Amino acid sequence: MRHIYITLSTLLLSVMVLLPNKAQGQYHFNYRDSLGTYKVVFHPNDITVFNSRSLNIPVSSGAHEIRLGMAYCADTPSDYTTSNNWHPIRNFSELGEQHSLGDELWFTVGFEGGRWFKEWFFFGGSLVWSGGFMPVRYTPTHQRVSTLSSNNIAIIPIARFAWLRRGIVQLYSGVGIGLALGFNEHLSYVETLTDLAYDVTFIGISIGRELFGYVDLGAGYRGLISFGIGYRFNN
């Protein structure tokens, strides 16, 4: 009987000792060596399990990324790279003697999403809308009577290759090819066009880790210059 009592007491004491260790959870500390700085998570109940993250690079493998931005000088199925190249009226006699065209506005907006499969390799897709608007005015009163428009949508799978990663700064290049649709409204008809959409990023820079800003210099349906903000998940 005494033996059973000692065994139960020992078991109860062991449980009481182990419970505080289990409640300790995790220890966090930073470690620095010649390769960079690391944030280490240590599990006291299992010394074989730990997680570390390098803090001297902007993107980690497996991170998901989204971007929202604007651009200047983007191609379209009608080869309109600037607002001056868009001519919604082929025959000005259609306009009428008492009507005139107003100033044109041109916008390019893009949304992107994808994943960094490696710290240096990204693959995803870009959805780009590029459009122009030109008012038609009644000349005697300068009143707007209608608005002509050009709407262009491009869907482009994109691959990027980061060739410099330091701190929160990343330099990269990229290429993509996809499909584009254009809908151009003229005075007497609507023109529908399709084209092979392309994008080449000669050099791009992003600054930040989770929340970041970016500027890309290139050519194609994303524009000559594209810029905006983005966010990375699981980074």
Side-chain angles (χ1 to χ4, degrees), residues 98-100 136-145:
Q98 294 186 322
H99 292 82
S100 61
V136 178
R137 300 186 183 277
Y138 181 61
T139 305
T141 61
H142 299 285
Q143 181 183 1
R144 176 182 297 190
V145 294

Side-chain angles (χ1 to χ4, degrees), residues 22-153:
K22 187 68 176 179
Q24 289 178 358
Q26 302 172 348
Y27 292 102
H28 300 259
F29 63 93
N30 291 331
Y31 172 73
R32 179 185 296 273
D33 60 13
S34 60
L35 297 178
T37 302
Y38 304 86
K39 181 178 180 181
V40 179
V41 180
F42 174 67
H43 300 257
N45 296 311
D46 188 356
I47 62 174
T48 63
V49 178
F50 68 93
N51 300 312
S52 65
R53 178 168 68 95
S54 176
L55 298 181
N56 68 331
I57 57 175
V59 181
S60 61
S61 176
H64 291 80
E65 179 178 300
I66 58 173
R67 294 186 176 196
L68 179 64
M70 302 182 66
Y72 169 75
C73 202
D75 281 343
T76 71
S78 300
D79 297 328
Y80 305 144
T81 55
T82 64
S83 60
N84 293 331
N85 288 338
W86 180 41
H87 301 291
I89 297 180
R90 304 287 179 83
N91 185 356
F92 279 86
S93 62
E94 299 179 8
L95 188 60
E97 295 181 356
Q98 294 186 322
H99 292 82
S100 61
L101 295 177
D103 295 331
E104 178 190 2
L105 297 176
W106 192 272
F107 303 95
T108 300
V109 180
F111 176 81
E112 300 178 21
R115 180 183 179 186
W116 288 92
F117 289 88
K118 300 291 184 180
E119 294 176 354
W120 54 269
F121 176 68
F122 169 90
F123 184 79
S126 179
L127 177 64
V128 182
W129 172 84
S130 187
F133 303 91
M134 182 176 292
V136 178
R137 300 186 183 277
Y138 181 61
T139 305
T141 61
H142 299 285
Q143 181 183 1
R144 176 182 297 190
V145 294
S146 65
T147 301
L148 304 178
S149 65
S150 175
N151 294 281
N152 306 274
I153 300 174

Side-chain angles (χ1 to χ4, degrees), residues 145-205:
V145 294
S146 65
T147 301
L148 304 178
S149 65
S150 175
N151 294 281
N152 306 274
I153 300 174
I155 302 175
I156 313 173
I158 291 179
R160 291 195 179 100
F161 307 90
W163 41 270
L164 188 146
R165 304 178 301 278
R166 292 291 185 274
I168 62 173
V169 178
Q170 180 187 60
L171 298 180
Y172 53 87
S173 300
V175 64
I177 190 168
L179 175 67
L181 299 174
F183 307 93
N184 302 319
E185 182 181 357
H186 299 268
L187 276 180
S188 56
Y189 65 98
V190 176
E191 181 182 36
T192 302
L193 300 172
T194 59
D195 194 17
L196 190 67
Y198 70 96
D199 174 74
V200 178
T201 301
F202 302 122
I203 180 172
I205 179 172

